[in-house]
Amino acid sequence: MQFPESWLREFCNPPLSTDQLAETLTMAGLEVEELKPVAPPFTKIVVGEIKEAVQHPNADRLRVCKVDVGDPALLDIVCGAPNARVGIKVPVALVGAELPPGDDGKPFLIKVGTLRGVESQGMLCSARELKLSEDHGGLLELGLDAPLGQSIREHLNLDDTLFTLKLTPNLAHCLSVYGVAREVAALTGAPLKAPSFPTVSVGSADALPVTVSAPDLCGRFSGRIVRHVNPRASTPQWMVDRLARCGQRSVTALVDISNYVMFELGRPSHIFDLDKIHGGLQVRWGRPGEQLKLLNGNTVTVDEKVGVIADEAQVESLAGIMGGDATAVSDDTLHVYVEAAFWWPKAIAGRSRRFNFSTDAGHRFERGVDPSQTVEHIERITQLIIDICGTANTACGPINDLQVNMPAAPAVTLRVARASKVIGMPLTQARCVDALTRLGLPVTQGDGTLTVAPPSYRFDLQIEEDLIEEVARMVGYDNLPQTPPLAPITAKTRPEAQRSPFAVRRVIAALGYQETINFSFVEERWEHELAGNPNPIKLLNPIASQMSVMRSSLLGSLLQVLKFNLDRKAQRVRVFELGRVFLRDATVKNTDATVEGFHQPMRVAGMVCGSADALQWGRKEQGADFFDIKGDVDALLAPRKPVFAPAEHPAMHPGRCASVLLGGVSIGFVGELHPRWRQAYDLAQAPVMFELELDAVQRREVPVFETVAKHQAVERDIAVMVSESVTHAALMSAVWAAPTAGLLRDANLFDLYRPKPAKDPDGVAVPSHEKSMAVRLTLNSDDATLTEEQIDTAVQAVVNALVATLGARQRT
């Protein structure tokens, strides 16, 4: 909310400087977000009157003006403004004046100059040249009563300061200049000048019939007819200036009056063109399919959840939000109907956002506007209409005041001991009474308790904590004691057998991947296709239609990133994400870190497409395949050794997918994208991917000290014929299970050979069902150099284990 300081000080003028006033408001919860001068600095610019304006002898668009600035002699000033004419009063920059800085940041100095052969002794200024507005259509015309020679800063009150408050939703009573002044009076003790609302004399018995058929929408509706107004009257300059300093441009006098009272008293109102209303008005909920063209030019379709004001023919206004174009006042308006109402906050909240716009009226009504002052505020609006737009025939009708459902705020009790405990400082009952009384709250005292009947303008006082907050604000947040915490602070250390998520990120990044961060909200199609999740967790209010469910896998997000980069001609994409997924799980209960019915584990996933290596000369370019990403998973989990077993995953190729097991427990999957989804996403090359449980990836083996062998190791190679179905993992498991008396230190597969297919009597090739696998064994002992007998015994033990376990036979 923005307003000028001078307007605030008309209601309450404490003996504080501008900065002190801003600090007082901020420390009371009314945060002053910005202090800005009304006008930038400039000097020696005064009020002048053009006494003569003649055509420049050497220029068609220039005039030579004689200007009176209150000195004995008139000034000759050359001016090119189209509205430079005799009789108007304008700002005059005298010789030596400094205008506001331009785009280069330097002030513009006025000197005696010569324009087309004519001397100019100053400059006549526009509002834009003084940085008062962007209007550059001509000179800034001042009122005819402006004193000649007076400083323009003094005349237009340009030394004023604009306050911008950042108010929380519970401070609806401060959404007006008077509301802020009421707070200032409570905080400083300065007297508050309450506005008066003298009754306007009634000169007509005319009244517009109004029916309120939705008491849950409108609690009070007041209005009156004002006949024979002048809609073309000019808005007084003082009102235009105040509206501009509140961030509101001037429209017409009638509209400006309504806006002015809203900023002054916090009461949004509406002025209808009476002749455009068909019959009477009905306040009700909308009906499905009804349409309304608003004042902003938009046409909206309402339903039964949106309040409206309608006449006998059509909807005329969105209740509490914006008026309709059909009954808007114009230059031809003769009679008006002034309306002020109390709309229930819950009936207005969120309605503007349904139509993708917001208004000052809706902003106030959805937070709560005083229902007790509708009649008084109509009197204020009526008096301004008479003063500004009145004619000799202007006549006001009686105020029609319908009170159908007025709010009744229940009393709230404050326990002084409870307030002391919450605020964290000792408080007496008298101090609490003083704080609440200064705020204008009626207080009834009990034994250690205070009971407050909230005023009609305080919608935020509902529970005891609300009153405690008011006491704290009046005491002053800067006056609260600084009490250090008494609880012991213990550093949370990570076990040595667990690495941090950042360490996992660094390992993956070292493998050439780039991290991505994606939304947890994904497209529902991804869940069905890539995660195989038929019942994803749906969002009640998604931020976009393509982000309607919570993800149960990271692969969909990575595939979107991959597709985005490939579409932009990226040749090699290696991306990963470390994030949370969301699964339904009825076994999960509510705790401080979980939500009942939902499992939210962390996972790490990666996706690769393109060349296996960055551009280099060492070997031929080759596309990344299953074994490349399998190697990356091995490196990520090292020194723990995972086991890869054939598996199936909805997003992965049926024959090129493996489950990753650690200690016999599956921790994720690695594989190639399913051809179906590769075709659906129009990918030239099949990406390979992995997704693992982060908890399992973070676990690591604690290093154990082992002595270095002092004796030379011995290497022996064995080659065995095994069935084609025997895997590398099965082979190595059998090797390590052999009883070698602790001599086996290392074993590596170094050769794989498949014999050529034999031919049957008909000459048809018959594939072999066996393959040769060669393993190099490393043997050593801590006690002594190995003998040939020990070596042969250990090697034979390995061969026997392979024969017994895998049905192998040693090659000769």
Side-chain angles (χ1 to χ4, degrees), residues 414 416 428-439 441 443-445 449-450 471:
L414 167 70
V416 176
T428 63
Q429 184 162 327
R431 190 170 187 181
C432 293
V433 170
D434 175 68
L436 298 176
T437 304
R438 282 158 51 196
L439 286 166
L441 306 179
V443 180
T444 301
Q445 299 190 49
T449 63
L450 302 175
V471 172

Side-chain angles (χ1 to χ4, degrees), residues 710-712 743 745 779-787 790:
K710 299 179 181 179
H711 307 284
Q712 185 173 355
L743 301 182
R745 298 301 170 92
L779 306 173
N780 206 342
S781 172
D782 295 331
D783 301 326
T785 303
L786 294 178
T787 65
Q790 289 176 306

Side-chain angles (χ1 to χ4, degrees), residues 702-706:
V702 178
V704 178
F705 172 76
E706 292 183 359

Side-chain angles (χ1 to χ4, degrees), residues 652-664:
M652 299 183 187
H653 193 296
R656 300 173 187 173
C657 171
S659 173
V660 184
L661 298 100
L662 275 178

